[in-house]
Amino acid sequence: MVGVNTLREMYEQMVTARHYEERLQEEYLEGKQPAFDISAGPIPGELHLAAGHEAAAVGVCAHLDDDDTVTAPHRPHHVAIAKGVDLEKMTAEIFGRETGLCKGKGGHMHLFDPDVNFACSGIIAQGCPPAVGAAMAADKRNEDSVAVAYLGEGAVDQGAFLESLNLAAVQDLPVVFVVEDNDWAISMPQGRITDVDTIADRADGFDMPGVRVDHDDAVAVYEAARDAVGRARNGNGPTLLDVQVHRRMGHFMGDAEGYRPDADIERAKRLDSIERLADDLRDEEVGDDELDEIRSRAEERVEDAIEWAKDQPEPDAAAAHEDVFVDESTAASGGDD
Amino acid sequence: MIVDVDSESVWPADADDVDEAVVANWFVREGGAVDAGDTLCEIQIEKVSVDVTAPESGTLAERVVPENGEFRRDDVLARIETD
Amino acid sequence: MSTPASDPGTGDADRELTMSRAMVDAIASEMRADDEVFYMGEDVQDYGGIFDSTEGLLDEFGRDRVVDAPISETAYVGAAVGAAQAGMRPIAEIMFADFVGVCLDQVYNQMAKNTYMSGGSFNVPMVLTTAVGGEYNDAAQHSQTLYGLFSHLPGMKVVVPSTAYDAKGLMHAAVRDDDPVVYMFHKRLMGIGWMPAPEGPKTPVPDEDYTVPLGEADVKREGEDATVVTLGLHVHRALDAADRLADDGTEVEVIDLRSLVPFDTETVLDSVEKTGRLVVVDEDYQSFGVTGEVIARVAERAPDALEAVERVAIPDVPIPYSRPLEKEVNPQVEDIVAAVESVE
């Protein structure tokens, strides 16, 4: 059973994340038409949007607070929102501005927010070992905080993931691994590259529970995560959560998805986890006018963040040479001045 | 004989609602020889790239739309002088 | 526009190809000629390679010879080493050079060393292809070239084409080489639809097979007043810089290294002996890399010829995301012009 207020909060975060990704897609495509040029426009470079993944973020982060560490991969915005990352600064970072989370140096794949212990990184599965490390620190300090590592189903064949499972298990660390299984590793369908019935089966060899959550269901994720996070906090070790999600957009903006059957794309659009949670709320007597109000509030928050971000200054070129070390007694070698 | 080359026959079905494209790359110089079926150029319709091939053999007499030039769906892209 | 001093593809080369198509052209030809050649990497089947490195190959050769690998670089790059040692000629692709960190042991401890450690009784006839380079805002973990890293570690040959003509020739040479060859192709030069290439990499390409020998640099532009040694994307920036400098009466000689290992010291020395002034341009980190190596070789062999020297490289910082910051660290045409002017 999940309390109706929790359902409301999850719903609000989900619609925030969905609207955020849709608006970022619009901002991103600006200046890149008619023929797509990845380095043009207000958000240049790669952009990996998580429309359709929201349930995996909100269902888990509902059990976390600021002291718990989360690492995420290259498709991080929904997790960042659910974790409480500063939305304005995150947006400014995505727009490459000086007042962004990382002073414009990280960009959308490398968002670091120490206030809520959130970090994401672009190399597949490499967020797992640092999450294990955060859990190790909590363990050594006898704190009850936990760590969560997010990864895609394509990442489960990577050595870093498998090593992380083992290290977490052998040291009984308070970490939860959350696999967002959207079936596509860019263009490679899961069945072609991974030989298991479900990713949850991977846990078998590593002495931890592996739990599969089907159907893109935020409530089901919430319930599975309650168990997993609870285990970790109580000193009972790691868990592997394998959460089904559906990728509604391409792998990255610019991906024409020629490799993906139309029926698969249609199915992703039909199975909407947000609508499903809305139905759960209606079952709890929450009216559509309240749902609309939540939606409007979420949209306004996103618009405000984007507007603020676009107003921020770009960084000074000289800043490129700073922050290599915290002890800047020697400047980085000059290059081209 | 001069043969016009356009993109109609290779325009992707799922880009039916799109009317504009760009010539991303030309692969034959003006005055260059082409065989029927040779790739003449690559066009870009939003995110999709498609090759346009020569319908007949001959010489590429004219590149009507230049590289990086925008065009509409039924525009002539090139002219081939047949053998 | 500067005309290449070594003019490739004239005669009956009516076709011009993008660098990616020229690379694929060579791979396809080698795969037709030899069943033992196969291509393995991530998204190389239906996607045709994220940077078009295998576009069209699946249709011709099928899934047995164009292989989608799981995201597990250590396993599949290492498997390529093993298959090569069994006598096959695999081409394994690391999607972004930055990912070599994941499988570095298989590259520098196995692929590069097994020939030597076995006293020559084993060899590793494989090609390791990888996409390099930035300036399209992909930040620190997806924008590196790592030319220095691969060249510094002994036992692997390293080539870096800057034009379609060189790309095809070097690929034929790489596949036929009985030693491991790291083939580094710059993303911005490939001619990908969503990342337009600058002028320059698209060149006439002959239909028939030909090789560009490893260890041979190419004088892309002749000049008397200064020598600019560079590779990859910056060959084209150097040529642009040379055009601007020519307006002011300075004639720059641009040398495209094409090969880092083996390295063509003689071509560089000949040029510096002529001009006396050396500028080295590199899209890799400044310290302990290509620029230092080129200058050291000249200093060792022709110290009296060298009147002035300047290097232009990415400073020792991770590559930042934001557009003004990335432009600051990646050598621009203006930076090359300024460097040449400073050695005049």
Side-chain angles (χ1 to χ4, degrees):
Chain A
M1 265 306 297
V2 185
V4 65
N5 281 332
T6 301
L7 294 178
R8 279 190 179 99
E9 278 162 21
M10 291 203 295
Y11 183 77
E12 181 154 0
Q13 287 185 334
M14 288 177 85
V15 299
T16 305
R18 178 69 59 87
H19 189 67
Y20 192 76
E21 302 297 70
E22 287 170 349
R23 281 290 287 116
L24 281 190
Q25 181 179 43
E26 284 169 8
E27 295 290 328
Y28 181 80
L29 291 174
E30 203 190 289
K32 293 187 176 66
Q33 314 285 27
F36 192 91
D37 178 353
I38 194 171
S39 63
I43 304 178
E46 288 193 275
L47 190 67
H48 308 87
L49 299 176
H53 284 223
E54 299 85 359
V58 306
V60 176
C61 291
H63 302 284
L64 305 179
D65 59 42
D66 288 353
D67 289 335
D68 297 315
T69 296
V70 169
T71 64
H74 55 283
R75 197 182 307 284
H77 304 156
H78 58 314
V79 180
I81 287 170
K83 188 62 174 68
V85 169
D86 184 315
L87 193 65
E88 288 177 338
K89 286 195 189 160
M90 172 165 111
T91 312
E93 184 59 33
I94 294 167
F95 278 87
R97 305 300 166 103
E98 181 178 80
T99 36
L101 268 185
C102 313
K103 304 180 190 171
K105 296 182 186 183
H108 115 96
M109 276 195 285
H110 318 97
L111 301 167
F112 291 81
D113 189 340
D115 290 344
V116 297
N117 287 295
F118 175 88
C120 67
S121 181
I123 308 297
I124 300 298
Q126 299 297 336
C128 292
V132 172
M136 198 182 281
D139 187 52
K140 290 188 188 307
R141 294 167 170 166
N142 284 312
E143 291 169 355
D144 72 352
S145 53
V146 304
V148 177
Y150 276 85
L151 59 155
E153 89 296 331
V156 304
D157 304 314
Q158 191 54 270
F161 170 68
L162 301 164
E163 291 181 37
S164 298
L165 288 183
N166 182 63
L167 186 57
V170 88
Q171 293 193 5
D172 257 327
L173 295 177
V175 58
V176 179
F177 299 92
V178 180
V179 175
E180 294 181 276
D181 180 2
N182 68 15
D183 204 40
W184 292 95
I186 307 187
S187 72
M188 302 192 287
Q190 191 217 320
R192 188 184 298 158
I193 56 175
T194 303
D195 195 12
V196 286
D197 288 334
T198 84
I199 304 290
D201 292 346
R202 278 257 187 263
D204 290 349
F206 291 92
D207 196 30
M208 71 176 78
V211 179
R212 168 76 176 175
V213 182
D214 279 316
H215 306 311
D216 238 335
D217 181 342
V219 171
V221 177
Y222 180 93
E223 288 171 341
R226 178 175 47 206
D227 290 344
V229 174
R231 282 190 75 233
R233 263 196 232 292
N234 293 333
N236 292 322
T239 305
L240 174 59
L241 284 188
D242 170 20
V243 179
Q244 183 180 49
V245 295
H246 294 95
R247 202 181 80 192
R248 296 171 76 86
M249 300 170 177
H251 166 76
F252 69 104
M253 287 296 104
D255 177 9
E257 289 191 287
Y259 51 83
R260 192 176 176 190
D262 286 342
D264 194 271
I265 300 179
E266 290 313 305
R267 191 162 152 270
K269 297 211 164 121
R270 251 192 355 254
L271 299 164
D272 192 339
S273 51
I274 296 182
E275 263 319 293
R276 194 190 190 109
L277 188 58
D279 282 343
D280 290 334
L281 280 159
R282 288 178 188 117
D283 286 347
E284 297 292 323
E285 316 290 316
V286 173
D288 277 354
D289 49 355
E290 191 184 336
L291 294 182
D292 287 343
E293 201 190 297
I294 293 176
R295 204 175 264 282
S296 304
R297 198 165 54 226
E299 288 173 9
E300 202 182 309
R301 187 175 163 221
V302 167
E303 293 309 318
D304 286 347
I306 292 177
E307 204 182 303
W308 185 85
K310 285 165 82 162
D311 222 15
Q312 298 305 298
E314 285 194 310
D316 257 338
H321 301 273
E322 293 160 10
D323 296 316
V324 178
F325 299 108
V326 288
D327 175 9
E328 299 279 17
S329 50
T330 43
S333 63
D336 44 22
D337 45 12
Chain B
M1 190 180 99
I2 302 284
V3 171
D4 285 348
V5 183
D6 64 45
S7 55
E8 188 56 48
S9 58
V10 297
W11 201 272
D14 54 13
D16 239 354
D17 52 338
V18 183
D19 244 345
E20 289 138 357
V22 171
V23 173
N25 282 292
W26 275 107
F27 298 119
V28 185
R29 298 182 276 194
E30 281 182 350
V34 293
D35 287 329
D38 279 354
T39 302
L40 291 175
C41 65
E42 179 187 26
I43 63 174
Q44 178 100 358
I45 306 146
E46 291 187 333
K47 305 168 212 166
V48 182
S49 286
V50 182
D51 283 356
V52 176
T53 54
E56 299 199 29
S57 302
T59 310
L60 184 65
E62 190 188 350
R63 297 186 193 177
V64 177
V65 179
E67 201 164 271
N68 296 319
E70 293 170 30
F71 65 95
R72 302 191 64 81
R73 181 168 176 167
D74 40 22
D75 285 349
V76 171
L77 297 176
R79 299 200 158 91
I80 292 178
E81 176 143 17
T82 56
D83 299 326
Chain C
M1 274 308 300
S2 295
T3 13
S6 58
D7 196 1
T10 45
D12 53 37
D14 280 329
R15 69 171 187 174
E16 286 190 336
L17 294 182
T18 56
M19 205 166 91
S20 65
R21 290 177 188 240
M23 182 179 154
V24 171
D25 194 71
I27 295 168
S29 175
E30 294 294 326
M31 286 178 72
R32 273 173 222 131
D34 184 353
D35 280 343
E36 300 267 275
V37 179
F38 68 97
Y39 202 107
M40 179 161 57
E42 293 158 3
D43 298 282
V44 298
Q45 287 181 343
D46 303 78
Y47 202 103
I50 299 303
F51 300 102
D52 292 356
S53 54
T54 57
E55 190 64 49
L57 292 181
L58 177 66
D59 282 344
E60 184 172 349
F61 298 101
R63 293 187 195 277
D64 205 46
R65 295 188 66 200
V66 179
V67 181
D68 263 351
I71 306 176
S72 46
E73 282 78 359
T74 292
Y76 76 79
V77 170
V81 174
Q85 288 175 181
M88 297 194 79
R89 290 190 174 265
I91 306 173
E93 181 179 288
I94 298 180
M95 190 193 282
F96 286 68
D98 319 68
F99 302 170
V100 73
V102 176
C103 60
L104 190 59
D105 191 271
Q106 291 297 329
V107 173
Y108 92 126
N109 261 345
Q110 318 288 333
M111 182 186 88
K113 291 183 185 168
N114 287 351
T115 304
Y116 184 89
M117 295 191 295
S118 67
S121 65
F122 273 70
N123 70 315
V124 191
M126 66 181 267
V127 180
L128 186 66
T129 51
T130 188
V132 305
E135 267 222 83
Y136 63 101
N137 313 98
D138 220 355
Q141 297 174 334
H142 290 72
S143 303
Q144 297 167 106
T145 59
L146 301 178
Y147 296 140
L149 177 70
F150 286 94
S151 306
H152 173 72
L153 302 164
M156 49 190 145
K157 299 178 179 175
V158 181
V159 298
V160 182
S162 74
T163 64
Y165 180 87
D166 288 340
K168 177 171 159 74
L170 285 171
M171 180 57 80
H172 281 296
V175 174
R176 296 174 194 181
D177 202 305
D178 289 333
D179 288 313
V181 180
V182 182
Y183 184 103
M184 310 183 82
F185 56 89
H186 200 291
K187 301 163 209 158
R188 289 223 72 123
L189 299 182
M190 292 291 265
I192 302 164
W194 46 271
M195 194 188 303
E199 282 284 317
K202 181 144 56 104
T203 63
V205 178
D207 288 322
E208 69 277 3
D209 292 355
Y210 59 92
T211 54
V212 167
L214 271 61
E216 222 182 70
D218 188 32
V219 180
K220 287 285 200 287
R221 184 189 197 279
E222 280 169 4
E224 304 283 304
D225 301 320
T227 301
V228 174
V229 176
T230 186
L231 68 173
L233 172 69
H234 289 74
V235 169
H236 303 285
R237 290 196 176 172
L239 290 170
D240 281 351
D243 282 342
R244 291 193 203 178
L245 288 156
D247 288 342
D248 290 329
T250 302
E251 293 299 329
V252 170
E253 182 145 290
V254 176
I255 298 180
D256 176 359
L257 286 172
R258 293 199 303 195
S259 253
L260 287 166
V261 181
F263 187 94
D264 183 357
T265 312
E266 297 309 316
T267 299
V268 174
L269 288 177
D270 286 346
S271 182
V272 176
E273 272 159 4
K274 180 168 69 170
T275 69
R277 291 161 161 75
L278 175 62
V279 171
V280 191
V281 184
D282 181 24
E283 194 186 348
D284 194 8
Y285 307 113
Q286 175 166 296
S287 297
F288 304 95
V290 172
T291 55
E293 183 60 34
V294 175
I295 295 168
R297 288 184 186 227
V298 173
E300 280 174 336
R301 296 271 307 275
D304 296 329
L306 191 58
E307 292 167 39
V309 64
E310 185 78 21
R311 54 182 178 168
V312 190
I314 295 186
D316 301 336
V317 303
I319 296 166
Y321 163 67
S322 181
R323 195 183 271 123
L325 299 182
E326 193 182 8
K327 274 199 151 29
E328 162 74 5
V329 306
N330 194 314
Q332 305 294 305
V333 176
E334 301 76 62
D335 298 322
I336 303 174
V337 171
V340 172
E341 284 170 349
S342 80
V343 297
E344 284 288 284

Coordinates of all heavy atoms in Angstrom, one line a residue, chain C residues 250-300:
Chain C
T250 N 53.3 35.1 -46.4 CA 54.0 34.0 -45.7 C 53.5 32.7 -46.3 O 52.3 32.4 -46.3 CB 53.7 34.1 -44.2 OG1 54.1 35.3 -43.7 CG2 54.5 32.9 -43.5
E251 N 54.5 31.9 -46.8 CA 54.1 30.6 -47.4 C 54.4 29.5 -46.4 O 55.6 29.3 -46.1 CB 54.9 30.4 -48.7 CG 54.5 31.4 -49.8 CD 53.0 31.3 -50.2 OE1 52.4 30.1 -50.1 OE2 52.4 32.3 -50.6
V252 N 53.4 28.8 -46.0 CA 53.5 27.8 -45.0 C 53.5 26.4 -45.6 O 52.8 26.1 -46.5 CB 52.4 27.9 -44.0 CG1 52.3 26.7 -43.0 CG2 52.4 29.2 -43.2
E253 N 54.4 25.6 -45.1 CA 54.4 24.2 -45.6 C 53.6 23.4 -44.5 O 53.9 23.4 -43.3 CB 55.8 23.6 -45.6 CG 55.9 22.2 -46.1 CD 57.2 22.0 -47.0 OE1 57.2 22.5 -48.1 OE2 58.1 21.3 -46.5
V254 N 52.6 22.6 -45.0 CA 51.8 21.9 -44.1 C 52.1 20.4 -44.2 O 51.9 19.8 -45.3 CB 50.3 22.1 -44.3 CG1 49.4 21.2 -43.4 CG2 49.9 23.6 -44.0
I255 N 52.5 19.8 -43.2 CA 52.8 18.3 -43.2 C 51.7 17.6 -42.4 O 51.5 17.8 -41.2 CB 54.2 18.0 -42.6 CG1 55.3 18.7 -43.4 CG2 54.4 16.5 -42.6 CD1 56.7 18.5 -42.9
D256 N 51.1 16.7 -43.1 CA 50.1 15.8 -42.5 C 50.8 14.5 -42.1 O 51.3 13.8 -43.0 CB 49.0 15.5 -43.5 CG 47.9 14.5 -43.0 OD1 48.0 14.0 -41.9 OD2 47.0 14.2 -43.8
L257 N 50.9 14.3 -40.8 CA 51.7 13.1 -40.4 C 51.2 11.8 -40.9 O 51.9 10.9 -41.2 CB 51.8 13.1 -38.8 CG 52.7 14.1 -38.2 CD1 52.6 14.1 -36.7 CD2 54.2 13.9 -38.6
R258 N 49.9 11.6 -40.9 CA 49.2 10.4 -41.3 C 49.5 9.2 -40.5 O 48.6 8.3 -40.2 CB 49.4 10.1 -42.8 CG 48.9 11.1 -43.8 CD 48.7 10.6 -45.2 NE 50.0 10.1 -45.8 CZ 50.1 9.9 -47.1 NH1 49.1 10.1 -47.9 NH2 51.3 9.4 -47.6
S259 N 50.7 9.0 -40.1 CA 51.1 7.9 -39.3 C 51.8 8.4 -38.1 O 52.7 9.3 -38.2 CB 52.2 7.1 -40.0 OG 51.7 5.9 -40.5
L260 N 51.5 7.9 -36.9 CA 52.2 8.3 -35.7 C 53.2 7.2 -35.4 O 54.3 7.5 -35.0 CB 51.3 8.5 -34.5 CG 50.5 9.8 -34.6 CD1 49.3 9.8 -33.6 CD2 51.4 11.0 -34.4
V261 N 52.8 6.0 -35.6 CA 53.7 4.9 -35.5 C 53.5 4.0 -36.7 O 52.4 3.4 -36.9 CB 53.4 4.0 -34.2 CG1 54.4 2.9 -34.0 CG2 53.4 4.9 -32.9
P262 N 54.5 3.8 -37.5 CA 55.9 4.3 -37.5 C 55.8 5.8 -37.8 O 54.9 6.3 -38.5 CB 56.6 3.6 -38.6 CG 55.7 2.5 -39.1 CD 54.3 2.8 -38.6
F263 N 56.8 6.6 -37.4 CA 56.8 8.0 -37.6 C 57.8 8.5 -38.6 O 58.9 8.0 -38.7 CB 57.2 8.6 -36.2 CG 57.1 10.1 -36.2 CD1 55.9 10.7 -35.7 CD2 58.1 11.0 -36.6 CE1 55.8 12.1 -35.6 CE2 58.0 12.3 -36.6 CZ 56.8 12.9 -36.1
D264 N 57.3 9.4 -39.5 CA 58.2 9.8 -40.6 C 59.0 11.0 -40.2 O 58.7 12.1 -40.6 CB 57.3 10.1 -41.8 CG 58.0 10.5 -43.1 OD1 59.3 10.6 -43.0 OD2 57.4 10.7 -44.1
T265 N 60.1 10.7 -39.6 CA 61.0 11.8 -39.1 C 61.6 12.6 -40.3 O 61.7 13.8 -40.3 CB 62.1 11.3 -38.2 OG1 61.5 10.4 -37.2 CG2 62.8 12.4 -37.5
E266 N 62.0 11.8 -41.4 CA 62.7 12.4 -42.5 C 61.9 13.6 -43.1 O 62.5 14.6 -43.5 CB 63.1 11.4 -43.5 CG 64.0 10.3 -43.0 CD 65.2 10.8 -42.4 OE1 65.8 11.8 -42.9 OE2 65.6 10.3 -41.3
T267 N 60.6 13.3 -43.4 CA 59.8 14.4 -44.1 C 59.8 15.7 -43.2 O 59.9 16.8 -43.7 CB 58.4 13.9 -44.3 OG1 58.5 12.7 -45.2 CG2 57.6 14.9 -45.0
V268 N 59.7 15.5 -41.9 CA 59.6 16.6 -41.0 C 61.0 17.3 -41.0 O 61.1 18.6 -41.1 CB 59.3 16.2 -39.6 CG1 59.4 17.4 -38.6 CG2 57.9 15.6 -39.6
L269 N 62.1 16.6 -41.0 CA 63.4 17.2 -41.0 C 63.7 17.9 -42.2 O 64.2 19.1 -42.2 CB 64.5 16.1 -40.8 CG 64.6 15.4 -39.4 CD1 65.7 14.3 -39.5 CD2 65.0 16.5 -38.4
D270 N 63.3 17.3 -43.4 CA 63.6 18.0 -44.7 C 62.9 19.4 -44.7 O 63.4 20.4 -45.2 CB 63.0 17.2 -45.8 CG 63.8 15.9 -46.1 OD1 65.0 15.9 -45.7 OD2 63.3 15.0 -46.8
S271 N 61.7 19.4 -44.1 CA 61.0 20.7 -44.1 C 61.6 21.7 -43.2 O 61.7 22.9 -43.6 CB 59.5 20.4 -43.8 OG 58.8 21.6 -43.8
V272 N 61.9 21.3 -42.0 CA 62.5 22.2 -41.1 C 63.9 22.7 -41.6 O 64.2 23.9 -41.4 CB 62.6 21.6 -39.7 CG1 63.3 22.6 -38.7 CG2 61.2 21.3 -39.1
E273 N 64.6 21.8 -42.2 CA 65.9 22.3 -42.8 C 65.7 23.4 -43.9 O 66.5 24.2 -44.0 CB 66.7 21.1 -43.3 CG 67.5 20.5 -42.2 CD 67.9 19.1 -42.5 OE1 67.6 18.5 -43.5 OE2 68.5 18.5 -41.5
K274 N 64.5 23.3 -44.5 CA 64.2 24.3 -45.5 C 63.7 25.6 -44.9 O 64.1 26.7 -45.3 CB 63.1 23.7 -46.5 CG 62.7 24.7 -47.6 CD 61.8 24.0 -48.6 CE 60.5 23.6 -48.1 NZ 59.6 23.1 -49.2
T275 N 62.8 25.5 -43.9 CA 62.2 26.7 -43.4 C 62.8 27.3 -42.1 O 62.7 28.5 -41.9 CB 60.7 26.5 -43.1 OG1 60.6 25.6 -42.0 CG2 59.9 25.8 -44.3
G276 N 63.3 26.4 -41.3 CA 63.9 26.8 -40.0 C 62.9 27.1 -38.9 O 63.3 27.3 -37.8
R277 N 61.6 27.1 -39.3 CA 60.6 27.5 -38.3 C 59.6 26.4 -38.2 O 59.0 26.0 -39.2 CB 60.0 28.8 -38.7 CG 61.0 29.9 -38.6 CD 60.5 31.2 -39.4 NE 61.2 32.3 -39.0 CZ 62.5 32.6 -39.2 NH1 63.2 31.8 -39.9 NH2 63.0 33.7 -38.7
L278 N 59.3 26.0 -37.0 CA 58.5 24.8 -36.8 C 57.3 25.1 -35.9 O 57.5 25.7 -34.8 CB 59.3 23.7 -36.2 CG 58.5 22.4 -35.8 CD1 57.9 21.7 -37.0 CD2 59.5 21.4 -35.1
V279 N 56.1 24.8 -36.3 CA 54.9 24.9 -35.5 C 54.3 23.5 -35.5 O 54.1 22.9 -36.5 CB 53.9 25.9 -36.0 CG1 52.6 25.9 -35.2 CG2 54.5 27.4 -35.9
V280 N 54.0 23.0 -34.3 CA 53.4 21.7 -34.2 C 52.0 21.9 -33.7 O 51.8 22.5 -32.6 CB 54.1 20.7 -33.4 CG1 53.6 19.3 -33.6 CG2 55.6 20.7 -33.7
V281 N 51.0 21.3 -34.3 CA 49.6 21.5 -33.9 C 49.0 20.2 -33.6 O 49.0 19.2 -34.4 CB 48.7 22.2 -35.0 CG1 47.3 22.5 -34.5 CG2 49.4 23.5 -35.4
D282 N 48.4 20.0 -32.4 CA 47.9 18.7 -32.0 C 46.6 18.9 -31.2 O 46.5 19.7 -30.3 CB 48.9 18.1 -31.1 CG 48.6 16.7 -30.6 OD1 47.7 16.0 -31.3 OD2 49.1 16.3 -29.6
E283 N 45.6 18.0 -31.5 CA 44.3 18.0 -30.8 C 44.4 17.1 -29.6 O 43.4 16.4 -29.3 CB 43.2 17.7 -31.7 CG 41.8 18.0 -31.2 CD 40.6 17.6 -32.0 OE1 40.9 17.2 -33.2 OE2 39.5 17.6 -31.6
D284 N 45.5 17.0 -29.0 CA 45.6 16.1 -27.8 C 46.3 17.0 -26.7 O 46.7 18.1 -27.0 CB 46.5 14.9 -28.2 CG 46.4 13.8 -27.1 OD1 45.6 13.9 -26.2 OD2 47.2 12.8 -27.3
Y285 N 46.4 16.5 -25.5 CA 46.9 17.3 -24.4 C 48.4 17.6 -24.7 O 49.1 16.9 -25.3 CB 46.8 16.5 -23.1 CG 45.4 16.0 -22.9 CD1 45.1 14.7 -22.8 CD2 44.3 17.0 -22.7 CE1 43.8 14.2 -22.6 CE2 43.0 16.5 -22.4 CZ 42.8 15.2 -22.4 OH 41.5 14.7 -22.2
Q286 N 48.7 18.8 -24.3 CA 50.1 19.3 -24.6 C 51.2 18.6 -24.1 O 52.2 18.2 -24.8 CB 50.2 20.8 -24.2 CG 51.5 21.4 -24.4 CD 51.6 22.8 -24.3 OE1 50.9 23.6 -25.0 NE2 52.3 23.3 -23.3
S287 N 51.1 18.3 -22.8 CA 52.3 17.7 -22.1 C 52.5 16.2 -22.4 O 51.5 15.5 -22.3 CB 52.3 18.0 -20.6 OG 52.3 19.4 -20.4
F288 N 53.7 15.8 -22.6 CA 54.0 14.4 -22.8 C 53.3 13.7 -24.0 O 52.9 12.6 -23.9 CB 53.7 13.6 -21.5 CG 54.3 14.1 -20.3 CD1 53.6 15.0 -19.4 CD2 55.6 13.8 -19.9 CE1 54.2 15.5 -18.3 CE2 56.2 14.3 -18.8 CZ 55.5 15.2 -18.0
G289 N 53.3 14.5 -25.1 CA 52.5 13.9 -26.2 C 53.2 14.2 -27.6 O 54.4 14.3 -27.7
V290 N 52.3 14.3 -28.6 CA 52.8 14.5 -30.0 C 53.6 15.7 -30.2 O 54.7 15.6 -30.9 CB 51.6 14.5 -31.0 CG1 52.0 14.8 -32.4 CG2 50.8 13.1 -30.9
T291 N 53.2 16.8 -29.7 CA 54.0 18.1 -30.0 C 55.4 17.9 -29.4 O 56.4 18.3 -30.1 CB 53.3 19.3 -29.4 OG1 53.1 19.1 -28.0 CG2 52.0 19.6 -30.0
G292 N 55.5 17.4 -28.2 CA 56.9 17.2 -27.6 C 57.7 16.3 -28.4 O 58.9 16.5 -28.6
E293 N 57.1 15.2 -28.9 CA 57.8 14.2 -29.6 C 58.3 14.8 -30.9 O 59.5 14.5 -31.3 CB 56.8 13.0 -30.0 CG 57.5 11.9 -30.7 CD 58.6 11.3 -29.9 OE1 58.5 11.2 -28.6 OE2 59.6 10.8 -30.5
V294 N 57.5 15.5 -31.7 CA 58.0 16.0 -33.0 C 59.2 17.0 -32.7 O 60.2 16.9 -33.4 CB 56.8 16.8 -33.7 CG1 57.3 17.5 -34.9 CG2 55.7 15.8 -34.0
I295 N 59.0 17.9 -31.7 CA 60.1 18.8 -31.5 C 61.3 18.1 -31.0 O 62.4 18.5 -31.4 CB 59.6 19.9 -30.5 CG1 58.4 20.7 -31.1 CG2 60.7 20.8 -30.0 CD1 57.7 21.6 -30.1
A296 N 61.2 17.1 -30.2 CA 62.4 16.4 -29.7 C 63.1 15.7 -30.8 O 64.3 15.8 -30.9 CB 61.9 15.3 -28.7
R297 N 62.4 15.2 -31.8 CA 63.1 14.5 -32.9 C 63.8 15.5 -33.7 O 64.9 15.2 -34.2 CB 62.1 13.8 -33.8 CG 61.5 12.5 -33.1 CD 60.6 11.7 -34.0 NE 60.0 10.6 -33.2 CZ 59.9 9.4 -33.6 NH1 60.4 9.0 -34.8 NH2 59.4 8.4 -32.8
V298 N 63.3 16.7 -33.9 CA 64.0 17.7 -34.7 C 65.2 18.2 -33.9 O 66.3 18.4 -34.5 CB 63.0 18.9 -35.1 CG1 63.8 20.0 -35.7 CG2 61.9 18.4 -36.0
A299 N 65.0 18.4 -32.7 CA 66.1 18.9 -31.8 C 67.2 18.0 -31.8 O 68.4 18.3 -31.7 CB 65.5 19.2 -30.4
E300 N 66.9 16.7 -31.8 CA 68.0 15.6 -31.7 C 68.8 15.6 -33.0 O 70.0 15.5 -33.0 CB 67.3 14.2 -31.6 CG 66.9 13.8 -30.3 CD 66.2 12.5 -30.3 OE1 65.6 12.1 -31.3 OE2 66.2 11.9 -29.2

